Amino acid sequence: MPKRVLTGTVVSDKADKTVVVRVERRVKHPLYGKIIKLSKKYHAHDAGNAFKAGEQVRIQECAPMSKLKTWEVLDRIGAAKAVAVEIHEPEALSPQSEPSKPVEEKKAEKAEKKPAKKAKADAEADA
């Protein structure tokens, strides 16, 4: 019996010699008829830790290697779509303006301003 071969995207490569591959398939909704995407994740064996997150790969069924791993990576189809960017300028990370005050401080300031306004109003009424 031939082994199944699926195509998917690597979503995690954190484990040693293992990658998690998300395989998406498009199906027609049974009632509404709209085409929807369904996805499933498979744990696949990556002996050389060669595949990184975001890459398109082909996986093939194999004998169980562990509780979750029953697939192995065959080859890479496409490279990762996006690459992480590191910012080395601390000025770019810090905001230019002062951070906003906590709610309690704002309420305290408003409470201090209100009596001053009342005192002015009272002084004007007396005059």
Side-chain angles (χ1 to χ4, degrees), residues 1-115:
M1 180 175 200
K3 296 180 180 179
R4 289 188 295 169
V5 176
L6 299 175
T7 302
T9 306
V10 177
V11 292
S12 174
D13 60 342
K14 293 181 180 179
D16 187 34
K17 298 183 181 181
T18 303
V19 292
V20 180
V21 179
R22 183 187 337 112
V23 175
E24 286 187 350
R25 59 192 183 95
R26 299 175 64 186
V27 296
K28 188 175 181 180
H29 190 279
L31 178 62
Y32 300 116
K34 181 177 178 178
I35 303 297
I36 56 175
K37 289 182 184 177
L38 297 179
S39 63
K40 187 171 179 182
K41 292 180 184 178
Y42 296 94
H43 290 251
H45 183 65
D46 174 19
N49 290 325
F51 301 99
K52 302 298 176 200
E55 294 179 340
Q56 296 287 324
V57 295
R58 288 186 339 150
I59 57 175
Q60 179 182 14
E61 268 185 319
C62 67
M65 296 183 182
S66 67
K67 180 180 177 181
L68 297 174
K69 273 202 310 192
T70 57
W71 295 81
E72 59 188 351
V73 180
L74 289 179
D75 56 354
R76 179 181 293 114
I77 295 174
K81 292 181 182 176
V83 179
V85 177
E86 292 186 28
I87 300 175
H88 295 288
E89 299 175 21
E91 299 86 32
L93 296 175
S94 62
Q96 304 245 342
S97 62
E98 294 180 8
S100 61
K101 295 179 181 178
V103 176
E104 294 83 24
E105 289 182 18
K106 289 181 182 178
K107 288 181 180 177
E109 287 179 3
K110 286 181 181 178
E112 291 172 7
K113 290 180 182 177
K114 284 182 182 177

